[in-house]
């Protein structure tokens, strides 16, 4: 099985058998012969390396692994069904209304679609999949034929997806995530506990919370891999909504930026105006914001919570001559630039705890108001973590409780 997708028809035959307890009924519903349905289930079990059904004289009953996978497979097929319907609606009059779309799509077509969407190119997608470019192109066009809807538009730099394809690729990615989680739950049941967690991390949480949670997980759970994805909030949020990321940790947004996500508060954090410990203002008491304006500022991007506070609340851009000379959200850049001269910035107090304790960054005594932020986790609304993934979330909670104890 490649790319996270088992054979879709095999998966349907298994699900119908698990629901009805009868291979013959499942075969009829899936438009297969009974021997073909039996063979499809056997191949799926061979792919996973474990029985999914217990065959009895009058009824087929799911094994524990079969029950775990059936739940995830049903969700995956639901995503594909809703995605195919949404794609046809998006195409409007251009759609040929293929009612068989969801039943005709193949695992190969889904793998190719996701690779093309990620790469923006048939050629790059082919390299990613280890296939020839003509093969990827042919599979992509066969998907369009099945859907009866244009999915790909050629452009000089590669290919872009039509709106209908963008809707369907979202469903394909979410289906892929469900299947991945189902496979991981089966591995845990078999005593192998192989798993993954893709965490989107905004700057604040990277310094202590995430490293401590990662170390605890690696130390206590074998064969579990954690991938940390960094980036701007809008980019990471999109990856979360598309299923490429499991969970996002960082400053929460109010109101929530989309209806399909939920936010969970971990702790409150404050902003601080900072400089190098050798800065002329370091150690001085009762400073005003105006006292810092004669010095060059490193400002966080305006779209970040700290940037919003600096520009919308403190309105630093309205000064006769803006002191902002550098814009960056990188703690490494901030640390390095502060060490070079009398620069000033604003940043999360928690984010600089380690640097402050090491004497690399100092908080200036500039009173602020309305600068407390909610820090927490962001999930897809329907996301259901595996038991192993839930354990990593528990570690994030645990170390968040002591986040301000440095």
């Amino acid at each position: 099985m490649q790319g996270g997708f088992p054979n879709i028809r095999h998966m349907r035959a298994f699900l119908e058998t698990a629901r009805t307890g009868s291979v013959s009924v499942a075969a009829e519903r899936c438009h297969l012969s009974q021997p073909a349905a039996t063979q499809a289930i056997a191949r799926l079990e061979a792919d996973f390396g474990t029985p999914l059904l217990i065959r009895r004289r009058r009824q087929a009953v799911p094994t524990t692994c079969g029950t775990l996978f059936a739940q995830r497979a049903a969700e995956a097929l639901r995503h594909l069904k809703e995605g195919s319907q949404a794609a046809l609606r998006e195409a409007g009059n251009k759609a040929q209304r293929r009612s068989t779309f969801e039943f005709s799509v193949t695992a190969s077509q889904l793998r190719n679609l996701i690779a093309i969407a990620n790469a923006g190119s048939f050629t790059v997608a082919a390299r990613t999949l280890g296939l020839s470019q003509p093969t990827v192109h042919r599979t992509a066009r066969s998907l369009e034929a099945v859907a009866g809807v244009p999915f790909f538009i050629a452009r000089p730099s590669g290919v872009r997806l039509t709106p209908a394809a963008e809707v369907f690729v979202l469903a394909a990615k979410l289906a892929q995530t469900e299947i991945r989680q189902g496979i991981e739950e089966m591995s845990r049941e078999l005593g192998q506990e192989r798993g993954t967690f893709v965490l989107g991390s905004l700057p604040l949480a990277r310094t202590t919370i995430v490293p401590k949670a990662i170390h605890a997980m690696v130390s206590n759970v074998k064969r579990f891999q954690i991938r940390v994805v960094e980036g701007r909030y809008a980019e990471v949020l999109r990856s979360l909504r598309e299923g490429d990321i499991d969970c996002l940790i960082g400053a929460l947004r109010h109101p929530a930026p989309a209806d399909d996500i939920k936010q969970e508060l971990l702790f409150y954090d404050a902003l601080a105006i900072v400089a190098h410990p050798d800065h002329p203002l370091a150690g001085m008491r009762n400073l005003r914001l105006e006292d810092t304006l004669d010095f060059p500022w490193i400002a966080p991007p305006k779209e970040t919570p700290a940037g919003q506070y600096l520009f919308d609340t403190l309105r630093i851009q309205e000064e006769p001559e803006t002191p902002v000379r550098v814009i960056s959200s990188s703690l490494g850049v901030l640390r390095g630039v502060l060490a070079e001269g009398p620069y000033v910035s604003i940043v999360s107090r928690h984010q600089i705890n380690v640097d402050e304790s090491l004497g690399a960054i100092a908080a200036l005594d500039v009173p602020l108001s309305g600068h407390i932020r909610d820090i927490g986790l962001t999930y897809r609304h329907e996301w259901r973590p595996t038991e192993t993934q839930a354990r990593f979330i528990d570690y994030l909670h645990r170390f968040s409780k002591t986040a301000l104890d440095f």
Side-chain angles (χ1 to χ4, degrees):
M1 183 180 65
Q2 298 176 348
F5 279 108
N7 184 292
I8 304 298
R9 290 189 178 184
H10 295 175
M11 193 162 62
R12 289 186 188 279
F14 159 69
L15 270 179
E16 288 299 334
T17 304
R19 287 170 182 159
T20 65
S22 169
V23 177
S24 60
V25 173
E28 182 178 353
R29 292 185 178 182
C30 294
H31 307 289
L32 298 171
S33 66
Q34 183 168 332
T38 300
Q39 188 178 48
I41 296 169
R43 287 182 178 176
L44 194 63
E45 291 176 321
D47 285 341
F48 294 144
T50 186
L52 299 177
L53 295 168
I54 299 172
R55 281 78 166 174
R56 296 175 178 168
R57 179 174 297 180
R58 295 186 178 181
Q59 188 178 29
V61 179
T63 63
T64 302
C65 283
T67 299
L68 291 172
F69 184 69
Q71 293 170 348
R72 295 294 184 176
E75 282 299 296
L77 292 182
R78 180 182 67 81
H79 283 302
L80 294 178
K81 177 180 180 179
E82 293 177 356
S84 63
Q85 293 172 345
L88 294 177
R89 286 196 303 270
E90 183 65 41
N93 294 333
K94 295 179 181 179
Q96 297 177 22
R97 299 298 172 189
R98 297 289 182 91
S99 60
T100 60
F101 178 20
E102 66 169 290
F103 299 103
S104 302
V105 68
T106 68
S108 176
Q109 290 168 339
L110 293 173
R111 288 193 295 268
N112 277 258
L113 174 63
I114 291 173
I116 294 166
N118 290 339
S121 162
F122 289 134
T123 302
V124 177
R127 292 173 184 165
T128 301
L129 295 169
L131 301 172
S132 68
Q133 193 271 354
T135 297
V136 170
H137 188 272
R138 186 167 55 251
T139 304
R141 296 308 179 188
S142 72
L143 177 60
E144 289 182 315
V146 166
V149 174
F151 268 15
F152 307 100
I153 299 175
R155 59 181 183 177
S157 59
V159 64
R160 70 177 178 86
L161 302 187
T162 64
E166 290 179 349
V167 170
F168 188 63
V169 77
L170 171 60
K173 286 186 173 184
L174 294 177
Q176 185 182 52
T177 297
E178 288 290 345
I179 292 169
R180 169 175 65 87
Q181 289 182 292
I183 293 171
E184 291 176 3
E185 287 174 331
M186 287 191 291
S187 74
R188 186 176 190 276
E189 176 63 25
L190 295 172
Q192 300 166 353
E193 200 164 19
R194 293 188 180 91
T196 58
F197 197 110
V198 186
L199 178 69
S201 180
L202 299 178
L204 177 143
R206 296 174 197 160
T207 52
T208 54
I209 300 171
V210 170
K212 287 181 176 294
I214 288 175
H215 178 64
M217 195 69 184
V218 170
S219 300
N220 291 285
V221 182
K222 294 181 179 179
R223 296 184 293 273
F224 188 81
Q225 186 178 79
I226 301 159
R227 184 160 67 92
V228 179
V229 177
E230 302 178 359
R232 305 177 100 181
Y233 180 79
E235 297 167 351
V236 179
L237 179 67
R238 177 175 179 176
S239 295
L240 173 77
R241 297 178 67 195
E242 292 181 348
D244 294 328
I245 287 176
D246 295 312
C247 172
L248 169 62
I249 183 170
L252 304 181
R253 267 55 175 179
H254 300 292
D259 294 335
D260 58 349
I261 67 166
K262 60 181 179 180
Q263 301 184 126
E264 178 182 341
L265 178 68
L266 292 176
F267 63 93
Y268 299 104
D269 186 43
L271 294 172
I273 294 179
V274 301
H276 191 270
D278 294 335
H279 193 281
L281 298 180
M284 297 181 64
R285 307 295 297 174
N286 300 317
L287 294 170
R288 302 169 303 159
L289 177 66
E290 290 76 9
D291 296 325
T292 70
L293 300 181
D294 291 332
F295 300 94
W297 269 71
I298 309 170
K302 192 174 181 179
E303 64 270 17
T304 66
Q308 289 174 352
Y309 184 82
L310 180 63
F311 289 99
D312 296 343
T313 303
L314 300 183
R315 309 189 75 83
I316 197 170
Q317 75 279 8
E318 295 182 2
E319 295 298 321
E321 184 174 348
T322 177
V324 176
R325 304 297 299 280
V326 181
I327 297 178
S328 175
S329 60
S330 167
L331 183 59
V333 170
L334 175 65
R335 186 187 300 116
V337 174
L338 291 183
E340 292 295 325
Y343 294 89
V344 178
S345 188
I346 186 168
V347 69
S348 155
R349 190 61 186 263
H350 168 71
Q351 192 177 354
I352 63 163
N353 274 333
V354 174
D355 290 278
E356 196 173 14
S357 66
L358 295 174
I361 295 178
L364 301 182
D365 187 27
V366 181
L368 300 174
S369 61
H371 62 296
I372 306 300
R373 304 181 299 163
D374 296 347
I375 308 301
L377 303 175
T378 303
Y379 314 95
R380 292 185 302 283
H381 207 277
E382 297 180 345
W383 184 64
R384 183 166 55 91
T386 66
E387 287 189 33
T388 312
Q389 289 174 327
R391 185 171 180 180
F392 181 63
I393 292 174
D394 287 341
Y395 283 129
L396 291 174
H397 275 273
R398 180 186 303 179
F399 293 111
S400 293
K401 291 178 181 178
T402 59
L404 301 179
D405 293 343
F406 290 87

